[in-house]
Amino acid sequence: MRAKLPLNSPRWRELDGVTAEDVRQVVDAIGTPGDGWRKAWQGLTDSLMREDVVLDGAYAALPHVVAAAAELPPERFTDLWTDLGLMVTAAARPPVPADLRPGFDAALREAERAAVRGFLAAGTPAAGCAELALACVALAGHHTAEVLWRFLDPEEPCLVLVCPDCETDTEFPEFLVDPVRPPFEAPARPGPDRERPGPDLVREGEHPWGEVAAVLREDALGEGWEPFLRAAGTVAAAGVPRGTPGPDVLCLVAAMVAVKGTPGWAGARWARTLMLLTGYVRCPDCEQTWTTADCLAPHPDGARPQNHGRQAWPPTEDEGGGGAGAEAAGRTGLRRDGDRLLASDGTLRGRVEAFASPEPGTRAGVKALAVVVRPGLPTLVAGGGDSGVLCLWDPADGRLRHGPLPGHPDPVRSLTVLPLPDGDVLLVSGGDAGTVGVRNAATGQSVREPVGNWLGAVIGMCAASLPDGRTLLVTATDRGAVRLRDPLTGDPLGRLNPRGRRITSIAAVPIAADHTLIAAADAQGDVHLWDPTVDDPWDRGAAVPPDERVRGDLRHRVTVVAAVPVHGRTLLATGDRNGAVVLWDPATGLPVGDGLPPDTGGSPLTALTALALPGRPGLVLTGSGQGRSLRLWEPETGTVRRIQLDVAVTCLAAAGSGTGVEVLVGHDRGVLGLSVTA
């Protein structure tokens, strides 16, 4: 790189916010292995910017930083390229001093090449991939990258746009959704006969975008999106010239996220959401229609109104009024029809059994379920709810085998089954007032009457196997108390959850036949993994919780956890409110596979469970109370089936059968048993 300001120049004393020594420290840190450079770089950026104002010292410092980072594997520095994109699109930037312009302009070209190479080499989480793609566009000098400075979060459905004519700020609710099919036509690149011919739309000289064009695939987003991806490929092949219309460039950014954002479903989802920004919006004040891109980042040559015949947001009554994604929200795989499960073509795919009510003529809601498996004896299903009574049903026909079994003075919030070394099986119930009761799972007879405590509602329980041969009961409360207990006496034997955060879900994750880890989700959306074999609750032992940075990149705020038997081992499954499920390796804390994408119906997740099937892939089941639906997912094959029900799902359990899966659904009026064929 030529014309950098020498680090020994007295000119540094005249520049705001930075010294030559500051820059030298960052350059030295970049040249060392590891991520130590991040701290030095963050310290420098704090000196180069004051909120959204870039100081002129940045124009002297960045050429040195870029030169150091570009010599090394560029995928190491994807955060750096994104930060550079933010700087060159900041809202307040002073003019580049004449003596610094040659070095700064050369640095931008080198940074663009390095950022594009970093994008091609790195499998970046979808959110970071979108920012990195926009940073590449920013370093290429296109005005649309100003969107980067106030980056659009597809997790937020509303969008605030500024009319280019009357300058009215308008919030459009439910604008950003995840459509399955495009809600409008793809942008057409302007030419001599178009509305805005503009300058030559092929960039002169060498540029790094040819390899990006080569990796874009027209099947990356599914049927109907091919014209959008072709537009993206055309822009990339042309090198992102500055005269390219904003919608075309946003097509390119979305396409880049689709092919490189990880996991794959998250990349496709974010990409489809970003594609919505390539459409049109109607200003409610001046009633003119504009490209959404022009309302996000003003065109340097001035925006022009679009044809009023174009479909625009918000939709009119003639356009259906459903908004993008309305069709997707209604798509199902199976639906309940009385006591049958039917495919979309009417094919019978299973049966539905309504379990007997504990009291004739009543429909008591069920909040907790557990499957009781006893060697040599029929399987039973245990359930409890607000009435405080427990029931044991035969899953084959829904007949009540034992119950109603009174004894809980408070609503039942959780159930678990504990197989003991002597062959006995215990059924343990947790109550809303902190009570814990123990019964013989075969007969329903009480072993220990429910005993209350002051630690809060027992929202979850599980069994922990220890290498010394013991099986302990684990209880978790909504006040954050997680205890290891003797299952027969209830005496506390150890504590977990040293942070004390309120727990929302808990699960046992076996890592060996005699060693179980305990996973939990807290009210802040974080995930914890503890090893009950260690005495110090701060000691992780064999437990490696999900990587916080990866989970943050995925925007995955966890509400429920479960153990999933897949790929010949047991993984930790975490589900968020949107219905996305991610699988984690408890030995490394890293995700395994692509995970289950969010529910296209937009139904919040309320229940999660899993099942091991002999000779078949493991199965993950999710349920939604608001969406009144289930999803069945085979992680090893990627197969997903959605089942539409007419009940609000509160809890789930599952058991294998000879021909398929017995899905047990607790709901607001009782229990359903679904025999789903393989």
Side-chain angles (χ1 to χ4, degrees):
M1 182 182 297
R2 298 177 295 104
K4 295 198 298 285
L5 181 67
L7 292 177
N8 59 0
S9 171
R11 175 84 162 88
W12 290 96
R13 291 193 294 269
E14 305 171 7
L15 299 172
D16 288 335
V18 66
T19 67
E21 183 57 30
D22 295 332
V23 178
R24 185 178 289 108
Q25 290 179 4
V26 175
V27 170
D28 291 344
I30 286 175
T32 59
D35 286 344
W37 67 271
R38 296 179 189 275
K39 183 176 181 180
W41 167 245
Q42 187 59 54
L44 181 62
T45 57
D46 290 343
S47 300
L48 298 180
M49 298 187 67
R50 296 290 186 270
E51 296 182 351
D52 61 346
V53 178
V54 178
L55 304 182
D56 59 8
Y59 301 130
L62 295 183
H64 293 273
V65 174
V66 170
E71 294 296 324
L72 299 170
E75 60 271 22
R76 278 186 57 196
F77 302 101
T78 54
D79 292 346
L80 171 62
W81 312 130
T82 300
D83 288 345
L84 291 180
L86 289 168
M87 286 187 182
V88 301
T89 56
R93 305 184 300 277
V96 183
D99 62 326
L100 301 180
R101 177 169 288 282
F104 182 70
D105 289 346
L108 291 185
R109 301 292 73 77
E110 188 166 1
E112 178 191 7
R113 288 190 291 271
V116 170
R117 290 199 307 271
F119 165 81
L120 292 169
T124 311
C129 185
E131 293 178 338
L132 178 57
L134 274 168
C136 292
V137 171
L139 295 170
H142 196 277
H143 75 278
T144 298
E146 292 180 13
V147 176
L148 180 67
W149 188 245
R150 46 197 174 91
F151 180 68
L152 296 157
D153 185 355
E155 298 297 325
E156 296 293 335
C158 68
L159 186 69
V160 177
L161 300 175
V162 180
C163 175
D165 185 35
C166 66
E167 299 184 352
T168 299
D169 290 358
T170 305
E171 180 177 295
F172 294 91
E174 304 300 326
F175 187 99
L176 294 175
V177 296
D178 179 22
V180 175
R181 295 178 182 273
F184 43 77
E185 70 272 20
R189 305 205 58 211
D193 57 343
R194 301 291 184 182
E195 296 174 0
R196 186 196 299 138
D200 185 9
L201 293 179
V202 176
R203 185 168 165 185
E204 296 181 359
E206 295 184 3
H207 60 77
W209 291 89
E211 294 179 60
V212 175
V215 302
L216 301 183
R217 306 189 318 274
E218 292 191 7
D219 63 346
L221 293 179
E223 184 180 355
W225 294 99
E226 298 87 348
F228 293 80
L229 296 169
R230 282 195 292 272
T234 302
V235 175
V240 198
R242 298 188 180 188
T244 308
D248 298 68
V249 174
L250 290 175
C251 272
L252 172 60
V253 171
M256 293 168 71
V257 176
V259 298
K260 296 293 287 187
T262 59
W265 59 262
R269 179 188 175 212
W270 278 62
R272 289 193 298 267
T273 302
L274 290 170
M275 283 293 185
L276 295 178
L277 304 178
T278 69
Y280 309 93
V281 64
R282 184 184 304 108
C283 175
D285 282 1
C286 67
E287 298 186 353
Q288 296 190 87
T289 298
W290 310 89
T291 68
T292 307
D294 283 340
C295 296
L296 287 167
H299 194 283
D301 297 331
R304 299 185 181 182
Q306 301 297 302
N307 185 339
H308 282 259
R310 295 185 185 277
Q311 186 172 344
W313 184 271
T316 64
E317 294 183 2
D318 292 339
E319 294 168 345
E327 177 185 359
R331 294 167 64 91
T332 61
L334 302 174
R335 71 180 191 280
R336 180 186 177 188
D337 182 11
D339 61 356
R340 303 180 301 164
L341 283 178
L342 302 179
S344 56
D345 60 359
T347 305
L348 180 65
R349 299 303 301 271
R351 62 178 179 81
V352 181
E353 188 77 47
F355 282 22
S357 174
E359 298 179 6
T362 66
R363 303 298 293 175
V366 171
K367 296 293 182 63
L369 288 171
V371 176
V372 181
V373 179
R374 304 164 296 167
L377 295 173
T379 297
L380 297 177
V381 175
D386 289 342
S387 63
V389 302
L390 297 176
C391 296
L392 289 165
W393 291 279
D394 185 337
D397 55 16
R399 287 190 299 115
L400 191 62
R401 285 296 188 93
H402 302 290
L405 304 172
H408 248 287
D410 52 342
V412 175
R413 293 284 298 275
S414 56
L415 288 171
T416 194
V417 174
L418 275 74
L420 300 181
D422 61 4
D424 286 341
V425 180
L426 300 180
L427 175 64
V428 187
S429 54
D432 197 53
T435 56
V436 177
V438 184
R439 294 180 178 272
N440 183 301
T443 64
Q445 296 300 310
S446 178
V447 174
R448 184 168 63 86
E449 292 297 325
V451 177
N453 64 72
W454 55 271
L455 299 174
V458 184
I459 57 87
M461 299 188 296
C462 61
S465 299
L466 303 186
D468 61 10
R470 291 181 297 165
T471 299
L472 301 184
L473 171 67
V474 184
T475 61
T477 74
D478 59 358
R479 294 183 184 175
V482 181
R483 300 288 188 266
L484 299 170
R485 300 180 181 275
D486 183 299
L488 294 175
T489 67
D491 294 337
L493 303 177
R495 296 186 177 192
L496 303 175
N497 193 28
R499 296 183 185 276
R501 290 183 179 176
R502 186 165 65 89
I503 300 300
T504 60
S505 177
I506 194 167
V509 183
I511 57 173
D514 59 354
H515 193 176
T516 303
L517 303 179
I518 306 302
D522 66 31
Q524 297 182 28
D526 291 334
V527 188
H528 309 273
L529 197 63
W530 303 299
D531 186 345
T533 66
V534 297
D535 294 331
D536 184 354
W538 292 99
D539 185 352
R540 287 186 175 181
V544 182
D547 187 282
E548 290 188 10
R549 182 174 180 181
V550 174
R551 190 169 52 79
D553 288 340
L554 295 175
R555 307 288 178 93
H556 188 55
R557 289 176 54 85
V558 177
T559 57
V560 290
V561 294
V564 179
V566 293
H567 304 293
R569 53 183 170 158
T570 300
L571 302 177
L572 169 63
T574 58
D576 63 25
R577 178 174 172 80
N578 295 324
V581 178
V582 180
L583 302 183
W584 307 86
D585 186 341
T588 66
L590 298 177
V592 178
D594 274 349
L596 177 68
D599 190 351
T600 55
S603 303
L605 184 66
T606 54
L608 174 69
T609 192
L611 174 68
L613 299 173
R616 291 187 54 202
L619 186 69
V620 176
L621 299 90
T622 71
S624 170
Q626 180 178 319
R628 308 173 84 84
S629 62
L630 307 175
R631 284 197 296 170
L632 281 65
W633 170 47
E634 288 185 351
E636 294 183 43
T637 65
T639 302
V640 182
R641 281 188 290 176
R642 195 170 192 270
I643 301 178
Q644 192 66 42
L645 300 173
D646 56 358
V647 296
V649 180
T650 57
C651 53
L652 291 172
S657 66
T659 59
V661 181
E662 295 289 338
V663 180
L664 296 316
V665 181
H667 59 88
D668 53 348
R669 301 193 303 276
V671 180
L672 291 178
L674 279 61
S675 295
V676 184
T677 57

